[in-house]
């Protein structure tokens, strides 16, 4: 086997230890059984291997290929297409700062730059203790709450550089961190197993909801004729939040 990028021979990917492979094989069989075509299970199986190692390793790619009857090239093509699959070891907490248009102009770019300096890492880099990986991310459909930071895909809304730095300091120190909405925070490996389709056992996770923000709800009410049309929709965020809470 040859590494095309280097033009050098590449050793076959190692296998998981026997006990790990047996456990993953049992989980994989449960996932595969959900689909009429086994290859349709590839995305959740990549999450499953990510739950084991914290990223999709060559061993994970080999495992997925073998249980689905695919080539490692086919699995690699999928694993490298989606940014939700990590290709190198990463932190227990993936801190993603939205830098898409609205979050960026509302302060997302500033938050990202200050977190890079505060943590001493660049984009897709991990702190030396292995706890936090920082990345900039695209829109997460939470523009009502811009600027938004996500930790292991849980929302931290209406952030500032100061609140974002305080939050990552808590993560680094092992202190409890609560998302502004949605389910309780868990580690990246635990998140990956949930994304593979296994039960979410976090307290209150079933009842938790992301929910739409004030701006979207106002637009919906106007569209339904439940609220008078506003000549000027732009208003202070705090005022909007207060009205919606009444």
């Amino acid at each position: 086997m040859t590494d095309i990028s280097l033009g050098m021979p590449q050793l076959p990917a190692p296998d998981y230890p026997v006990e790990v492979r047996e456990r993953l094989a049992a989980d994989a069989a449960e996932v595969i059984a959900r689909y009429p075509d086994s290859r349709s299970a590839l995305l959740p199986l990549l999450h499953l291997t990510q739950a084991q190692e914290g990223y999709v390793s060559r061993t994970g790619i080999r495992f997925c290929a073998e249980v689905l009857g695919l080539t490692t090239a086919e699995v690699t093509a999928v694993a490298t297409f989606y940014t939700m699959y990590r290709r190198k070891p990463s932190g227990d907490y993936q801190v993603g700062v939205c830098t898409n248009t609205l979050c960026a102009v509302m302060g997302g770019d500033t938050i990202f730059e200050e977190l890079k300096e505060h943590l001493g890492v660049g984009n897709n880099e991990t702190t030396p203790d292995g706890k936090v990986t920082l990345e900039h991310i695209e829109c997460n459909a939470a523009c009502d709450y811009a600027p938004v930071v996500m930790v292991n895909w849980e929302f931290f809304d209406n952030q500032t550089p100061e609140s974002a730095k305080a939050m990552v300091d808590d993560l680094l120190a092992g202190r409890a961190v609560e998302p502004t909405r949605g389910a309780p925070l868990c580690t990246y490996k635990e998140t990956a197993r949930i994304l593979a389709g296994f039960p979410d056992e976090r307290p209150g996770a079933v009842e938790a909801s992301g929910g739409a923000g004030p701006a979207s709800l106002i637009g919906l009410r106007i569209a339904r004729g439940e609220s008078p049309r506003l000549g000027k929709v732009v208003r202070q965020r705090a005022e909007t939040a207060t009205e919606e809470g009444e």
Side-chain angles (χ1 to χ4, degrees):
M1 185 176 182
T2 300
D3 186 327
I4 297 175
S5 64
L6 300 177
M8 299 172 60
Q10 187 178 32
L11 296 175
D15 201 355
Y16 289 118
V18 174
E19 65 278 7
V20 173
R21 184 180 176 89
E22 289 178 350
R23 172 169 48 80
L24 289 177
D27 287 341
E30 181 179 337
V31 173
I32 293 169
R34 302 172 190 158
Y35 300 92
D37 186 336
S38 63
R39 69 182 297 147
S40 299
L42 177 54
L43 295 182
L45 288 190
L46 287 170
H47 283 300
L48 179 65
T49 63
Q50 202 156 241
Q52 174 63 35
E53 300 181 81
Y55 73 111
V56 178
S57 66
R58 292 176 58 229
T59 300
I61 288 174
R62 170 183 170 178
F63 172 80
C64 291
E66 290 177 352
V67 298
L68 294 176
L70 303 173
T71 66
T72 55
E74 289 174 315
V75 177
T76 301
V78 174
T80 55
F81 181 81
Y82 295 102
T83 57
M84 59 190 175
Y85 300 120
R86 313 297 176 188
R87 295 307 313 281
K88 62 181 181 180
S90 56
D92 292 332
Y93 299 98
Q94 304 280 330
V95 176
V97 182
C98 181
T99 56
N100 214 323
T101 307
L102 185 56
C103 278
V105 300
M106 294 292 286
D109 283 347
T110 301
I111 291 172
F112 184 62
E113 292 303 318
E114 293 203 20
L115 282 182
K116 285 198 297 184
E117 181 177 355
H118 186 68
L119 294 171
V121 298
N123 185 44
N124 282 324
E125 293 182 354
T126 303
T127 54
D129 60 7
K131 289 187 176 180
V132 171
T133 296
L134 179 66
E135 64 174 344
H136 70 81
I137 52 179
E138 295 302 320
C139 183
N140 283 280
C143 302
D144 285 2
Y145 302 95
V148 174
V149 176
M150 301 195 82
V151 181
N152 295 349
W153 309 116
E154 300 297 345
F155 289 104
F156 289 77
D157 302 316
N158 300 324
Q159 292 295 292
T160 65
E162 291 71 28
S163 66
K165 286 186 284 189
M167 181 263 290
V168 297
D169 283 345
D170 286 341
L171 292 175
L172 293 171
R175 292 187 288 266
V177 173
E178 294 293 332
T180 53
R181 57 195 168 101
L185 192 63
C186 62
T187 67
Y188 188 64
K189 288 183 179 180
E190 292 168 334
T191 301
R193 183 169 177 82
I194 294 168
L195 291 174
F198 291 93
D200 187 346
E201 298 177 348
R202 292 176 290 176
V206 175
E207 296 80 9
S209 173
S216 291
L217 293 176
I218 289 174
L220 178 62
R221 290 175 181 175
I222 292 173
R224 289 176 173 174
E226 297 171 358
S227 297
R229 295 191 175 274
L230 303 177
K232 185 176 182 181
V233 176
V234 178
R235 61 177 66 182
Q236 292 294 323
R237 182 181 301 169
E239 176 187 348
T240 303
T242 300
E243 291 182 3
E244 291 301 315
E246 295 177 350

